[in-house]
Amino acid sequence: MNDIDIETSQQDDRKYKLITLSNKLQCLLISDPTTDKASCAMDVRVGHLSDPQNAEGLAHFLEHLLFMGTKKYPDENDYNVFLSSHGGSSNAFTDMESTNYYFDVSKDFLEGGLDRFAQFFINPLFNEGSTDRELQAVDSEHAKNLQNDAWRSFQLSKSLCRQSHPFSKFGSGNLVTLKEKPAEKGLDIRELLLEFHEKYYSANVMKMVIYGEESLQDLEALATKYLSDIPNSDIDVPQFPGKPFGPEELCKILSIVPVRDGIRSLELQFPMREIDTLYRQKPGRYISHLLGHEGAGSILELLKQKGWANELSAGESRSCSDWSSFSISIELTDLGLDKVDDIVEVVFSYLSLLKEKGVQQWIHDETATVAACQFRFLSKRNPMDYTCSLASAMQIYRHSEHILSGPYLIYEYDPEIISEFLKYFEPKNMILSVTSKSFEGTTTEKEHWYGTEYSISDLTEELCKRWSGATIENQIAEGKLYLPEMNDMIASDFNLQSALDFPLDEPRLLLDSDKCRVWYKPDNVFDMPKVNVMVLLQSSIVSVSVVDSVLSLLWTQIVQEHSNDFTYLASMASLHSAVVNSSRGIELTVSGYNHKAHILLSRMVKAMVGVPEKLELSLFERVKDKVSKQYKNFMFAQPYQHAFYAADLLLESTKWTIEDKMSALDSIEMCDVLDFSRRILGRFHTEMLVHGNVSADEAREMSNIVLEGLESSPPLSSTMPQARIVKLQDTTEYVYRMPEPNIKNTNTSIVSLYQVGPMELAANAVLALLHHLLKEPAFNELRTNEQLGYIVHTSIKTSGDNIKGLLFLIQSDSFDAIHLDTRVEAFLGRLRSKIVAMNQGEFQKNIVAVCQSLREKNKNIGEETSKYWHALTNKSYDFKRLDLIADEVEKVEKNEVLQFFDKFIAVDGPRRKKLSVQVFAEQHMEKFDDPVSDVILLKNVEDLRSADLYGLPKTVELSGFKI
């Protein structure tokens, strides 16, 4: 067994140990006595690059099937039932070279979870019945992604590489590759899967992480007991020598037709050597920092000035053990789409600057300093996210003390390696992709698996020569490209404030007037030199009309554009800001190291005030165009997102359709934005929270920055936002049907909402417990057994500030919406008897799981801030609500759950109120007009606007919170 001294963050109070078991399984143990969740993750070093040619998608299929029962626990649902009963969950994903499995569970049940988890790698069953059903699940997952531009782009890249290289494979798989093609060749897919599992699932290529409250000694005992029997075949880690892109595949230009109307993008992709072994130097980070810079002298700054681009990102886009690629992605304007050659010349002009100036140590040192601070003050994460990422990292930083620090720190300055990497950035080593709907009807090729239409041709010698010789003195660059200045926003003061005699779990009211409320909470929990400043300018102006709603979005994006030169520098120093519109007004946030947070806050306020003086017509037109594309892109979102949105449109009194927003946008002129700026900043009420490593006096100073900088008048009662929700009628079912806007999307979706209404703590506790009791059975029955669709989801939905309901969501490429709705009702019909049959021990176990989930501790200051801010913005000021609900859950009896179910959910319930939103794919439209009985069929989203509304919540007395 190994005992490597693992490099940890100075703020990390957990204990770590890296061991290797007798079967050569490497395991990272993490002891955290403060955790309320345990977690495990296993990364197996085999992915879809290892798929056999006659069964592409096999690694992904195995990932699905592995969870379906083991010799020790043959019930295929035992694992999920155990986790759900103890507040846990699980997931998995298949990548190119790895497959990662992970779960979490309440801290007291790590051993039971680990025992079941380990059996998947020791003796899985791969039952015949499960095989057929999970084949359908894999096919449904692929169908879900067919209209996703990111998936389509990834597979197109794979299809254009050398077909002899495994990167060319179709990693998702579907019924064609996993059932039809193997059957045509007389192959049994289950036998292929068993062979694949036996060949690659060997302990010596697996990496395991165990996270729990136990001591390292006890965790090691658990690892030894449950993981030592995983078979070890001493296989070699799969290798894929050779490069997927050679001279014949490079120096190309692609014209691609996207799914979404709003996409106009340019991507420059440069294949290069592998980078995993260069984690100490991280040459890609130095290069991406400069190419992706957004401040003065940057590529993006120049492109914005010319009106050619809105966004730019640069960085490693693929990373494998034998090769990688670096991409520069640019979101174009309509004008930029006609200037692609010039834009590429700007990029190569900047690259020539980097090569000419040579590697600058001060830039390296600056990025290394920020990285060191980031690792030093790394916040804790959700244990399941943490174990999942660490198991993957162990494959890269093998037998290394840098498992934790490797992804963050830059250990060495090596200008030669950076210079060597810059040599890859040449036209001859590039694939240039231009994506736009304007290519529709003009392309010559179609990708096999997703049907992406495209054309491909060689870059001309003339263009390559032009770009290779580009310099910053050329006519296009105009001498406006240069290296960034030193970053003045990097924090250097990390001293911690003392916070004695202050509550640990709620903020206090620092200032309360007719113009503002300022709340304050020092960080007396995590001891981090960070602060979160949340500001809400409350005003109904943002939602008085559809025009004002659109204007609020335009205005916030213009503020972001005006502040980009300093917010980008701040973000590079881990100090972040945002200005966004919401139904309640305008939200301004600043978060990160507290040392210079007040500087960023002041600059953001000045940017908000300065909109009228600074706004130019060219920027207004570019932002208007950008917003237009955002609206158009939503029409090509997933069907379940359209169903969610339609449900909100039906129930919320101040929401508008995307079509109405697009129509309003067309009529808006720059003068309208200027008028909106005057109106929104003229009269509002400020709700503000300062939470973190600052004193009360410093919090007051921050509030003064906002209040004195904006200088607003107190609001009128009529200008304060009010969230009003439609009150559905008891014993009534409403159905709203709509065609899926994207006719090429084969998926149908339903959202069924059982509205309950505003709730006291006791009733909320019963709803929370009922949802917990049905969540796992709903997934098992509707998705695993009935295979209704890849997406099956349940949740408690809150409409407005406080109107609760029970929600079911299904998205399916196999069944129409009416059938889906029928199956949800059938499930609910069976649910009551399941609850009745549950013995008291099982019922109590679920109560404990719900309470533990509600009482789960915040992992970091961001989570803590979010809970406070939610209570402030919904005006409940109930900062301990989750704990209070947990107290009520402990008192719930089974008969109370049944009474609640009979009252609000059962088909004959006296208080049942159901809204079913049904989105029909083109293939299911023959069912669209099927008659429905005993329901109110809604024809338009406005049909409920004249219905009764729920009353507003009672005003809360706040004097007890004052300091």
Side-chain angles (χ1 to χ4, degrees):
M1 293 191 179
N2 307 55
D3 193 3
I4 293 174
D5 186 15
I6 297 173
E7 183 177 23
T8 62
S9 165
Q10 294 178 26
Q11 299 293 115
D12 195 343
D13 57 2
R14 295 165 291 198
K15 291 185 171 64
Y16 298 83
K17 185 176 183 181
L18 190 64
I19 64 172
T20 302
L21 301 178
S22 58
N23 58 353
K24 298 186 180 180
L25 171 64
Q26 192 181 60
C27 188
L28 177 64
L29 311 173
I30 308 174
S31 173
D32 181 2
T34 68
T35 191
D36 41 29
K37 279 283 183 76
S39 178
C40 294
M42 177 77 87
D43 193 278
V44 186
R45 194 60 170 174
V46 61
H48 73 247
L49 295 189
S50 297
D51 285 345
Q53 291 290 351
N54 53 18
E56 292 178 85
L58 191 63
H60 181 213
F61 178 41
L62 194 156
E63 171 227 306
H64 272 250
L65 204 58
L66 194 71
F67 287 149
M68 298 290 132
T70 63
K71 185 175 181 180
K72 185 174 181 179
Y73 299 102
D75 184 345
E76 71 176 23
N77 205 36
D78 176 87
Y79 174 62
N80 289 325
V81 168
F82 178 86
L83 294 180
S84 178
S85 298
H86 300 297
S89 59
S90 69
N91 213 331
F93 64 86
T94 304
D95 209 335
M96 289 188 285
E97 295 183 281
S98 280
T99 307
N100 194 297
Y101 304 86
Y102 48 96
F103 77 87
D104 69 357
V105 71
S106 295
K107 62 180 182 178
D108 298 327
F109 297 94
L110 170 61
E111 183 167 6
L114 176 59
D115 181 15
R116 287 163 175 80
F117 187 71
Q119 291 302 312
F120 295 132
F121 306 97
I122 296 170
N123 216 330
L125 291 180
F126 300 126
N127 285 326
E128 292 277 6
S130 302
T131 300
D132 291 338
R133 278 188 276 106
E134 287 308 307
L135 276 173
Q136 183 60 51
V138 169
D139 193 66
S140 294
E141 183 176 355
H142 173 59
K144 173 183 72 73
N145 298 326
L146 279 172
Q147 293 292 296
N148 183 297
D149 283 305
W151 281 96
R152 293 162 72 92
S153 175
F154 181 45
Q155 189 61 43
L156 179 58
S157 179
K158 291 160 76 66
S159 71
L160 296 175
C161 79
R162 288 170 169 161
Q163 293 306 290
S164 60
H165 194 279
F167 179 64
S168 65
K169 293 175 181 175
F170 171 47
S172 293
N174 62 5
L175 285 176
V176 173
T177 63
L178 294 170
K179 187 174 184 178
E180 296 173 14
K181 285 191 174 182
E184 289 172 3
K185 298 177 181 178
L187 300 172
D188 184 311
I189 190 62
R190 184 170 178 273
E191 288 301 319
L192 291 175
L193 185 139
L194 292 171
E195 292 172 10
F196 188 91
H197 180 268
E198 184 176 359
K199 180 178 180 180
Y200 291 112
Y201 273 56
S202 173
N204 73 300
V205 297
M206 297 178 181
K207 306 295 179 184
M208 181 77 182
V209 181
I210 304 178
Y211 188 115
E213 67 169 354
E214 294 82 355
S215 68
L216 289 176
Q217 183 178 357
D218 289 344
L219 291 174
E220 185 168 347
L222 289 173
T224 303
K225 178 179 179 180
Y226 292 108
L227 301 172
S228 296
D229 288 338
I230 296 176
N232 174 33
S233 305
D234 265 328
I235 67 171
D236 294 328
V237 173
Q239 299 292 321
F240 310 98
K243 306 301 177 188
F245 298 97
E248 293 183 359
E249 290 76 32
L250 295 169
C251 200
K252 305 287 186 185
I253 181 168
L254 299 172
S255 301
I256 304 169
V257 179
V259 169
R260 290 175 290 169
D261 273 339
I263 287 188
R264 295 154 310 188
S265 65
L266 171 65
E267 182 180 57
L268 294 74
Q269 181 183 343
F270 302 90
M272 50 185 62
R273 59 157 289 181
E274 58 81 25
I275 55 173
D276 289 349
T277 58
L278 297 176
Y279 75 88
R280 292 174 177 272
Q281 301 85 7
K282 294 185 174 60
R285 188 173 298 184
Y286 176 96
I287 296 170
S288 63
H289 168 66
L290 294 172
L291 293 178
H293 209 281
E294 298 181 14
S298 67
I299 296 171
L300 181 59
E301 176 76 5
L302 178 57
L303 296 181
K304 282 185 174 181
Q305 288 175 8
K306 292 178 176 293
W308 294 350
N310 290 317
E311 305 288 347
L312 181 149
S313 62
E316 298 143 11
S317 53
R318 306 270 182 268
S319 181
C320 298
S321 56
D322 292 294
W323 67 283
S324 67
S325 67
F326 190 106
S327 293
I328 303 168
S329 299
I330 303 171
E331 180 191 309
L332 303 174
T333 62
D334 281 339
L335 181 59
L337 192 60
D338 294 327
K339 297 288 185 179
V340 166
D341 292 353
D342 291 343
I343 292 172
V344 177
E345 184 168 356
V346 169
V347 173
F348 278 104
S349 297
Y350 196 87
L351 284 164
S352 75
L353 169 68
L354 300 187
K355 295 172 183 177
E356 178 189 332
K357 292 285 187 181
V359 180
Q360 304 290 305
Q361 184 165 356
W362 73 266
I363 295 177
H364 165 273
D365 292 346
E366 197 173 79
T367 55
T369 297
V370 171
C373 290
Q374 186 182 9
F375 182 66
R376 177 183 173 187
F377 299 109
L378 203 59
S379 297
K380 283 187 178 181
R381 297 160 57 185
N382 179 300
M384 188 161 70
D385 293 340
Y386 195 46
T387 57
C388 172
S389 63
L390 286 179
S392 296
M394 289 170 70
Q395 299 286 9
I396 298 172
Y397 313 105
R398 299 173 193 169
H399 304 283
S400 170
E401 69 275 19
H402 296 147
I403 291 171
L404 306 181
S405 60
Y408 299 94
L409 297 183
I410 304 174
Y411 304 88
E412 300 171 6
Y413 173 57
D414 192 330
E416 291 185 8
I417 288 180
I418 296 173
S419 296
E420 190 67 30
F421 261 71
L422 282 170
K423 294 178 181 177
Y424 287 106
F425 294 87
E426 295 291 345
K428 295 288 186 182
N429 187 51
M430 177 179 70
I431 299 174
L432 187 67
S433 302
V434 186
T435 303
S436 169
K437 275 284 192 181
S438 64
F439 298 131
E440 205 161 34
T442 67
T443 56
T444 58
E445 309 290 335
K446 181 179 283 191
E447 191 276 323
H448 180 70
W449 296 112
Y450 289 81
T452 305
E453 297 174 355
Y454 70 99
S455 294
I456 183 169
S457 59
D458 294 326
L459 288 170
T460 65
E461 283 292 333
E462 181 183 359
L463 266 181
C464 290
K465 186 176 180 181
R466 171 186 166 188
W467 293 336
S468 295
T471 68
I472 58 172
E473 284 80 26
N474 64 32
Q475 187 176 359
I476 297 172
E478 300 175 341
K480 293 182 179 180
L481 297 174
Y482 46 87
L483 294 177
E485 296 180 358
M486 289 189 176
N487 192 342
D488 64 352
M489 296 300 290
I490 297 176
S492 56
D493 182 358
F494 303 111
N495 291 321
L496 297 178
Q497 303 267 3
S498 61
L500 302 175
D501 302 324
F502 205 98
L504 295 174
D505 53 4
E506 61 183 14
R508 286 290 182 256
L509 191 51
L510 206 59
L511 177 65
D512 189 6
S513 72
D514 59 350
K515 290 178 63 173
C516 74
R517 251 186 228 114
V518 180
W519 297 82
Y520 166 65
K521 167 73 164 61
D523 177 18
N524 52 2
V525 177
F526 299 102
D527 294 328
M528 287 284 192
K530 299 178 180 180
V531 68
N532 294 323
V533 182
M534 318 292 289
V535 183
L536 172 60
L537 311 183
Q538 298 178 95
S539 172
S540 62
I541 289 174
V542 298
S543 54
V544 165
S545 67
V546 64
V547 173
D548 281 323
S549 175
V550 176
L551 279 167
S552 69
L553 177 58
L554 285 168
W555 187 82
T556 55
Q557 295 212 2
I558 287 167
V559 172
Q560 296 275 39
E561 289 281 349
H562 282 169
S563 56
N564 198 58
D565 56 340
F566 59 83
T567 57
Y568 181 78
L569 289 174
S571 69
M572 290 297 96
S574 298
L575 186 57
H576 304 281
S577 65
V579 180
V580 299
N581 63 314
S582 75
S583 60
R584 298 178 175 93
I586 303 295
E587 289 195 27
L588 165 64
T589 61
V590 171
S591 60
Y593 299 120
N594 60 274
H595 181 202
K596 299 187 177 181
H598 64 288
I599 299 174
L600 180 58
L601 181 63
S602 176
R603 291 176 179 176
M604 290 301 299
V605 169
K606 289 177 182 176
M608 294 166 72
V609 173
V611 168
E613 294 180 8
K614 197 173 179 182
L615 182 58
E616 296 178 352
L617 182 60
S618 59
L619 175 60
F620 165 74
E621 290 176 342
R622 182 164 62 79
V623 171
K624 182 177 177 180
D625 176 65
K626 184 178 177 181
V627 169
S628 174
K629 297 301 184 289
Q630 290 173 7
Y631 288 151
K632 289 179 180 178
N633 283 342
F634 182 75
M635 308 305 286
F636 296 89
Q638 288 284 347
Y640 76 84
Q641 294 172 291
H642 295 144
F644 263 129
Y645 192 66
D648 287 341
L649 285 168
L650 287 158
L651 294 175
E652 298 185 26
S653 59
T654 54
K655 265 195 180 292
W656 290 272
T657 66
I658 293 295
E659 293 85 353
D660 284 346
K661 289 182 178 181
M662 289 192 290
S663 177
L665 180 64
D666 287 341
S667 65
I668 291 174
E669 303 292 343
M670 191 170 92
C671 59
D672 299 315
V673 175
L674 298 176
D675 178 65
F676 178 84
S677 187
R678 176 188 59 78
R679 289 188 290 128
I680 191 64
L681 295 182
R683 192 180 292 276
F684 57 84
H685 183 271
T686 301
E687 194 87 37
M688 184 170 178
L689 169 65
V690 182
H691 176 210
N693 187 43
V694 294
S695 67
D697 287 341
E698 289 169 328
R700 287 189 183 93
E701 290 173 8
M702 286 184 165
S703 68
N704 287 337
I705 289 173
V706 175
L707 299 174
E708 294 174 6
L710 296 179
E711 295 183 307
S712 73
S713 300
L716 305 173
S717 59
S718 61
T719 63
M720 290 296 286
Q722 296 179 338
R724 303 298 300 273
I725 303 301
V726 169
K727 184 178 183 180
L728 302 178
Q729 296 178 23
D730 289 342
T731 67
T732 305
E733 179 172 344
Y734 304 81
V735 173
Y736 175 71
R737 292 175 178 170
M738 59 178 283
E740 163 54 33
N742 177 9
I743 62 173
K744 292 183 179 179
N745 197 314
T746 60
N747 291 278
T748 280
S749 183
I750 64 158
V751 163
S752 291
L753 176 66
Y754 300 83
Q755 190 183 68
V756 179
M759 308 179 74
E760 298 299 325
L761 291 173
N764 209 326
V766 178
L767 176 59
L769 180 56
L770 174 61
H771 173 250
H772 177 79
L773 292 172
L774 67 81
K775 184 175 182 179
E776 190 283 326
F779 187 86
N780 181 54
E781 293 186 31
L782 302 177
R783 192 226 194 239
T784 305
N785 293 338
E786 296 190 31
Q787 286 294 319
L788 294 181
Y790 181 71
I791 298 176
V792 173
H793 166 82
T794 63
S795 62
I796 297 174
K797 177 174 171 58
T798 303
S799 300
D801 291 332
N802 67 332
I803 308 304
K804 304 293 183 180
L806 182 65
L807 182 141
F808 284 78
L809 162 72
I810 304 176
Q811 181 166 296
S812 173
D813 68 319
S814 302
F815 299 99
D816 65 82
I818 299 170
H819 179 77
L820 299 179
D821 184 65
T822 302
R823 299 316 302 157
V824 170
E825 289 295 339
F827 166 77
L828 289 172
R830 299 188 298 271
L831 179 66
R832 192 185 195 283
S833 60
K834 285 179 178 289
I835 297 175
V836 170
M838 185 177 291
N839 63 50
Q840 187 57 34
E842 191 70 20
F843 185 77
Q844 191 61 36
K845 191 163 57 176
N846 282 279
I847 283 181
V848 172
V850 174
C851 291
Q852 288 177 334
S853 176
L854 289 167
R855 291 171 176 150
E856 192 171 328
K857 289 178 250 182
N858 299 312
K859 305 297 182 296
N860 51 62
I861 191 173
E863 289 187 8
E864 187 184 354
T865 299
S866 294
K867 287 183 180 178
Y868 299 151
W869 190 237
H870 180 69
L872 291 173
T873 55
N874 70 16
K875 295 184 173 60
S876 70
Y877 306 100
D878 199 348
F879 305 110
K880 301 177 183 179
R881 184 174 178 82
L882 295 182
D883 288 316
L884 294 174
I885 293 174
D887 293 343
E888 295 296 324
V889 171
E890 289 181 333
K891 307 172 189 175
V892 176
E893 301 289 343
K894 190 200 293 187
N895 69 302
E896 293 180 80
V897 176
L898 293 171
Q899 289 170 7
F900 186 96
F901 179 89
D902 292 342
K903 184 177 183 179
F904 292 105
I905 310 300
V907 69
D908 56 351
R911 295 287 306 281
R912 170 173 152 130
K913 299 182 280 285
K914 178 185 174 185
L915 171 63
S916 179
V917 176
Q918 305 176 353
V919 178
F920 285 74
E922 180 72 17
Q923 64 169 329
H924 299 136
M925 282 299 290
E926 71 274 5
K927 295 282 189 177
F928 188 83
D929 293 318
D930 279 14
V932 285
S933 57
D934 301 322
V935 305
I936 296 177
L937 189 62
L938 305 170
K939 296 295 185 182
N940 300 291
V941 290
E942 295 86 6
D943 283 357
L944 291 175
R945 293 289 166 93
S946 60
D948 291 341
L949 300 175
Y950 281 102
L952 293 172
K954 295 178 181 178
T955 302
V956 179
E957 173 56 49
L958 300 178
S959 57
F961 289 106
K962 291 182 179 179
I963 293 179

